[in-house]
């Protein structure tokens, strides 16, 4: 459990849990989850006036990262049948472009943001 009161304290606490056997790519994935959760937290603060303390953002990040690692390991293990209760990203069919987007709008401030990412059938950014 992350207990820091600042982003710096939380980050230091989180990376101190890494041991020498973990790869740099693990840290890179963790950073992506952190950036995503910081962005979501920022949008909630701006558009919904909801503040999430740093230790809660890092707790969400740790949960997302651990779930990702679990799914990576379980995807390498042969299974007879798989059931998922939550939606997940999947590759688009060949020769099609998949576009994922997020929109946030604050009516009171008349301000909005749209972010879109298009990916080819290999999951690579298109264009």
């Amino acid at each position: 459990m992350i207990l820091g009161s600042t982003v710096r304290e939380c980050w230091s606490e989180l990376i101190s849990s890494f041991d020498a056997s973990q790869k740099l790519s693990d840290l890179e994935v963790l950073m992506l989850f952190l950036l995503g959760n910081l962005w979501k937290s920022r949008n909630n603060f701006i558009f919904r006036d909801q503040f999430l303390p740093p230790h809660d953002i890092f707790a969400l990040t740790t949960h997302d990262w651990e779930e990702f690692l679990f799914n990576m390991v379980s995807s390498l293990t042969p299974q007879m049948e798989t059931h998922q209760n939550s939606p997940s990203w999947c590759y688009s069919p060949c020769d099609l472009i998949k576009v994922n987007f997020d929109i946030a709008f604050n009516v009171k401030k008349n301000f909005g943001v749209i972010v879109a990412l298009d990916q080819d059938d290999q999951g690579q950014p298109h264009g």
Side-chain angles (χ1 to χ4, degrees):
M1 181 175 191
I2 306 289
L3 300 174
S5 60
T6 67
V7 171
R8 177 176 279 178
E9 288 173 4
C10 291
W11 178 250
S12 296
E13 196 174 327
L14 185 60
I15 62 171
S16 69
S17 65
F18 273 71
D19 59 31
S21 68
Q22 287 179 297
K23 300 179 284 188
L24 179 60
S25 61
D26 288 343
L27 188 57
E28 291 169 346
V29 170
L30 181 63
M31 282 291 294
L32 290 174
F33 282 118
L34 176 60
L35 291 173
N37 284 324
L38 286 170
W39 180 256
K40 289 176 190 175
S41 174
R42 172 216 176 262
N43 285 343
N44 284 333
F45 180 69
I46 290 174
F47 299 114
R48 296 181 181 156
D49 293 323
Q50 296 174 349
F51 175 75
L52 195 60
H55 61 271
D56 287 342
I57 296 169
F58 278 81
L60 284 171
T61 300
T62 303
H63 174 267
D64 292 346
W65 180 63
E66 288 171 348
E67 185 176 83
F68 170 79
L69 292 177
F70 174 79
N71 288 325
M72 288 296 291
V73 169
S74 64
S75 71
L76 299 175
T77 306
Q79 297 178 3
M80 296 298 290
E81 193 172 332
T82 302
H83 295 282
Q84 289 185 338
N85 294 330
S86 60
S88 62
W89 186 89
C90 61
Y91 291 109
S92 60
C94 289
D95 301 325
L96 291 177
I97 301 298
K98 182 174 188 166
V99 178
N100 296 304
F101 64 94
D102 194 11
I103 300 171
F105 190 77
N106 185 325
V107 177
K108 292 178 189 174
K109 296 180 182 177
N110 197 28
F111 179 78
V113 177
I114 300 173
V115 178
L117 173 67
D118 60 329
Q119 298 169 314
D120 62 19
D121 59 316
Q122 299 298 308
Q124 298 299 311
H126 183 260

